[in-house]
Amino acid sequence: MNREIFINVEGMETRVAIQEDGRLGEIHIERGSSDSVVGNIYKGIVTDVLPGMEAAFVDVGLEKNVFLHVSDVLALAPPSKKNPKIKSILNKGQEVVVQIVKEPIGGKGARATCELTIPGRYLVLMTTSEHVGISRRIGDEKERERLKNMVTNFKPPKSGVIVRTAAEGATEEQLKRDLRYLEHQRKKVMGGKRKNRAPCLLYKDMDLVQRVVRDTFTEDFNRLVVDDMEAYKGILQLVGVIAPHLRGKVELYQGAIPIFSRYTVEEDINKALQRKVWLNKEL
């Protein structure tokens, strides 16, 4: 199967298309005016503790305070304490580091947790757990055991790791490189926690292009083509860190015809938006 990624960057809008054998399989769009906060890590100040709801609200500098349920702050409770109450963990005015797990909806603020995770290409680093987990999508038991044994041997103490689906078949050096990157990100978060006053942003998750490169762009793809020089440079830099062997598959598109028109992506999008969508006769 011929798999390709095409990236179109225009002003405040970025579009990513994934083609399989010349047919549009996925389309992702991100606009600058609707910047996601999911995955971001903030240092905030507890503004309210509500024992009746077993919850608290935290000012992290967003338009609305974020919501924390007691189940999301258990990492801050003493390990010996079972079923702790929210008022025994948090106090009004207390500084706390949280990660956004759900976007704000309507008049409600974002949902957050104190169980911090930092995702990489092959691994997810957990800062409040020592657990080692393997993606359920890796079905081969021998491969699961191989990955678990490797990661358990070199993971940092007092940290947990989730092995992502992309790690299937990865070498020990690839996993270690990914973990070094995640450790570097964690040190930046902890450094910001010590130096900066709350409320403040400590870690921002990657934008759409970077997430696609990190999570989707693997050896299974024939190439990745992008039509913006700055995005091209950023992709090469990221690929150089997480998957140097894929740098040769990254291309800068400089054609006169818009990239989505040149590779029939625009045509496929228009067809998909019509009132009638004709199914493939081969299906």
Side-chain angles (χ1 to χ4, degrees), residues 4 33 80 96 145 148 162 172 190 201 205 244 273 279:
E4 299 171 304
S33 59
S80 58
V96 61
E145 190 67 22
K148 186 170 185 176
I162 298 173
E172 183 173 353
M190 294 301 104
L201 175 66
D205 198 15
L273 294 176
L279 298 178

Side-chain angles (χ1 to χ4, degrees), residues 5-9 14-16 121 206-214 217 223-253 259:
I5 298 174
F6 299 106
I7 301 175
N8 168 230
V9 180
T14 299
R15 299 185 297 171
V16 176
R121 182 176 184 80
M206 295 178 167
D207 62 24
L208 174 60
V209 172
Q210 293 170 323
R211 293 196 305 272
V212 166
V213 173
R214 180 189 69 194
F217 186 42
R223 60 175 177 164
L224 181 154
V225 188
V226 58
D227 64 358
D228 181 79
M229 176 60 79
E230 289 304 311
Y232 172 71
K233 291 178 180 178
I235 292 169
L236 286 180
Q237 183 177 15
L238 180 58
V239 170
V241 174
I242 64 174
H245 58 292
L246 296 179
R247 283 177 62 96
K249 293 188 175 185
V250 180
E251 301 177 16
L252 174 65
Y253 179 76
I259 185 171

Side-chain angles (χ1 to χ4, degrees), residues 6 14 16 33 36 56 58 62 69-70 95 97 108 111 121 124 129-130 145 148 150 155 173 205 226 228 233 261:
F6 299 106
T14 299
V16 176
S33 59
S36 172
V58 181
L62 298 176
H69 187 260
V70 66
E95 292 187 344
V97 176
K108 296 182 179 180
R111 178 76 180 262
R121 182 176 184 80
V124 176
S129 168
E130 297 187 34
E145 190 67 22
K148 186 170 185 176
M150 274 199 301
K155 80 174 183 66
E173 180 52 39
D205 198 15
V226 58
D228 181 79
K233 291 178 180 178
S261 297

Side-chain angles (χ1 to χ4, degrees), residues 19 26 85 123 140 149 180 198 208 215 225 240:
Q19 277 190 354
E26 297 179 33
K85 302 296 184 180
L123 308 172
D140 186 272
N149 289 338
R180 286 195 294 268
L208 174 60
D215 301 337
V225 188

Side-chain angles (χ1 to χ4, degrees), residues 100-162:
I100 307 299
V101 295
K102 189 175 181 181
E103 297 279 4
I105 300 177
K108 296 182 179 180
R111 178 76 180 262
T113 180
C114 291
E115 298 182 1
L116 311 181
T117 60
I118 303 176
R121 182 176 184 80
Y122 301 116
L123 308 172
V124 176
L125 180 65
M126 299 183 290
T127 63
T128 56
S129 168
E130 297 187 34
H131 174 70
V132 175
I134 309 294
S135 168
R136 293 180 181 178
R137 294 177 65 182
I138 299 178
D140 186 272
E141 287 301 322
K142 288 186 178 179
E143 178 65 0
R144 293 176 65 86
E145 190 67 22
R146 180 186 78 90
L147 291 169
K148 186 170 185 176
N149 289 338
M150 274 199 301
V151 172
T152 301
N153 288 336
F154 62 70
K155 80 174 183 66
K158 298 181 180 180
S159 297
V161 171
I162 298 173

